[in-house]
Amino acid sequence: MSTHPVTLFTGQWADLPFEEVARLAAEWGYDGLEVAASGDHLDLQRADEDDAYVASRREILDRHGLKIFAISNHLAGQAVCDAPIDFRHQAILREYVWGDGDGDAEGVRQRAADDMKRAARVARKLDIDTVVGFTGSSIWPYLAMFPPVPASVIEAGFEDFATRWNPILDVFDDEGVRFAHEVHPGEIAYDYWSSVRALEAIDHRKAFGFNWDPSHMMWQNIDPVGFIVDFADRIYHVDCKDTRMRPRNGRAGVLGSHLPWGDPRRGWDFVSTGHGDVPWEDSFRALDAIGYTGPISIEWEDAGMDRLHGAPEALGYVRSLLWPKPEASFDAAFSNQ
């Protein structure tokens, strides 16, 4: 029997009705869903105001024999700290968050923050304790540090993150819910040391932890197993997405050269779980060693594979590595001679 429930993240399936995604996941054998606040899967505003709507989401899951362990509000989270707010955000935000849009950038940020607070309340209504998502970042545009960026500007960016997220995390605390931030380029915490600094900015408050997704660590040369060990008390959720590393003759840089996903000239690409270079067995052993007991959520992304093939195949691959832990030390038998 698998040691962790295996779920499907619905973000990449938001073009399909929630009912259809649940049906597919159940047929493939998933234990549950990581439900994204996208498409018709979960409307947080409606769920916050209408208990009957929440019950309708539960009914769909129950009818298909699925459980829910976490919800995702990545897209609204992105807008909490981002600067600038522009056409990219309009494409991903719900209308009630976008409002007047780039003519009211601070209004977008405030409405996005309200939606993150809403996510905590909806999570409690669903009897779950984890919301997965992004934070956004006011200093990501300065990554190259040229033209020169004073250290004070970077420090102000982390202060901005703390100022905007501490009130959100207050609501998470009130609801008994944790935020699992996905360490990801474009966010305030995008690699190892920025994750350390983000925790310092909010005084290591327990409401804020990490969604361990190794795919973004791989192309940045971050050790995903070491991240598990070093942030053992902050691994609040796990997403499985793979990265295939294929540097070609010194031409392919880590930043991708503005080449589209799946272009063979890229030095790396996201692929379906098990088809890349993430050390999955070492990672799952490390997760067990730190005592992580939560879900393993498969986030399907692969420009060269149909998702209807990739999602069930990834489930089989992940399950093959989630074997039962031993009940005794392997060398205990030596004392019974």
Side-chain angles (χ1 to χ4, degrees):
M1 182 178 179
S2 175
T3 53
H4 298 269
V6 184
T7 62
L8 180 67
F9 175 49
T10 74
Q12 286 78 13
W13 305 77
D15 57 313
L16 298 180
F18 186 53
E19 175 84 47
E20 177 67 5
V21 177
R23 182 188 68 79
L24 288 169
E27 288 182 358
W28 292 327
Y30 279 89
D31 299 309
L33 299 176
E34 176 193 347
V35 181
S38 302
D40 83 330
H41 296 191
L42 182 63
D43 183 325
L44 291 173
Q45 186 177 60
R46 189 174 172 190
D48 193 30
E49 299 170 354
D50 183 359
D51 289 346
Y53 174 75
V54 176
S56 75
R57 304 296 92 184
R58 283 185 173 281
E59 189 277 329
I60 291 172
L61 292 166
D62 291 345
R63 180 154 35 86
H64 292 285
L66 298 171
K67 296 186 180 299
I68 183 171
F69 300 91
I71 60 175
S72 149
N73 200 19
H74 285 75
L75 304 184
Q78 186 66 50
V80 173
C81 290
D82 264 9
I85 296 291
D86 57 27
F87 64 93
R88 299 166 301 159
H89 301 84
Q90 183 176 14
I92 65 173
L93 295 175
R94 291 197 184 273
E95 192 171 316
Y96 69 78
V97 176
W98 177 249
D100 293 329
D102 50 12
D104 180 27
E106 184 57 28
V108 174
R109 296 185 192 102
Q110 292 297 328
R111 289 187 291 275
D114 288 342
D115 205 49
M116 292 308 305
K117 297 172 185 177
R118 191 176 285 122
R121 294 193 295 269
V122 172
R124 178 47 49 218
K125 282 189 172 188
L126 289 165
D127 295 323
I128 58 175
D129 63 6
T130 305
V131 175
V132 184
F134 291 147
T135 60
S137 171
S138 64
I139 53 176
W140 177 255
Y142 306 136
L143 182 68
M145 299 296 280
F146 191 86
V149 179
S152 59
V153 171
I154 304 305
E155 184 60 36
F158 282 94
E159 292 174 1
D160 177 73
F161 156 68
T163 297
R164 293 182 185 279
W165 274 88
N166 271 321
I168 296 171
L169 297 174
D170 288 342
V171 177
F172 273 73
D173 280 337
D174 290 344
E175 299 294 341
V177 176
R178 309 176 302 181
F179 179 67
H181 166 62
E182 184 170 332
V183 178
H184 186 290
E187 314 310 321
I188 197 66
Y190 59 89
D191 64 4
Y192 185 96
W193 292 114
S194 58
S195 295
V196 170
R197 197 163 180 181
L199 288 173
E200 292 172 347
I202 56 170
D203 295 325
H204 294 87
R205 58 186 300 177
K206 291 296 186 182
F208 187 93
F210 299 121
N211 175 51
W212 180 82
D213 180 340
S215 64
H216 310 288
M217 300 179 192
M218 291 295 292
W219 65 267
Q220 296 184 81
N221 294 316
I222 306 298
D223 175 12
V225 180
F227 193 96
I228 292 170
V229 175
D230 287 359
F231 294 99
D233 65 335
R234 298 291 169 151
I235 306 298
Y236 291 170
H237 192 263
V238 167
D239 269 359
C240 287
K241 189 168 72 178
D242 216 333
T243 300
R244 187 176 177 86
M245 306 296 297
R246 293 295 182 271
R248 303 187 186 282
N249 302 318
R251 297 189 185 98
V254 297
L255 297 182
S257 306
H258 291 296
L259 294 170
W261 304 118
D263 191 306
R265 294 172 294 173
R266 291 181 60 91
W268 60 273
D269 227 324
F270 295 133
V271 292
S272 192
T273 305
H275 288 271
D277 296 300
V278 171
W280 292 112
E281 180 175 335
D282 290 348
S283 298
F284 290 158
R285 286 177 181 268
L287 288 167
D288 280 341
I290 68 167
Y292 178 78
T293 59
I296 305 293
S297 187
I298 292 173
E299 181 180 2
W300 182 88
E301 285 187 9
D302 192 323
M305 182 186 296
D306 187 273
R307 62 186 176 181
L308 297 178
H309 173 85
E313 183 196 58
L315 173 62
Y317 177 79
V318 167
R319 282 236 173 93
S320 75
L321 296 175
L322 297 178
W323 50 72
K325 295 176 68 173
E327 296 181 0
S329 172
F330 69 86
D331 58 0
F334 297 139
S335 62
N336 293 311
Q337 302 299 322

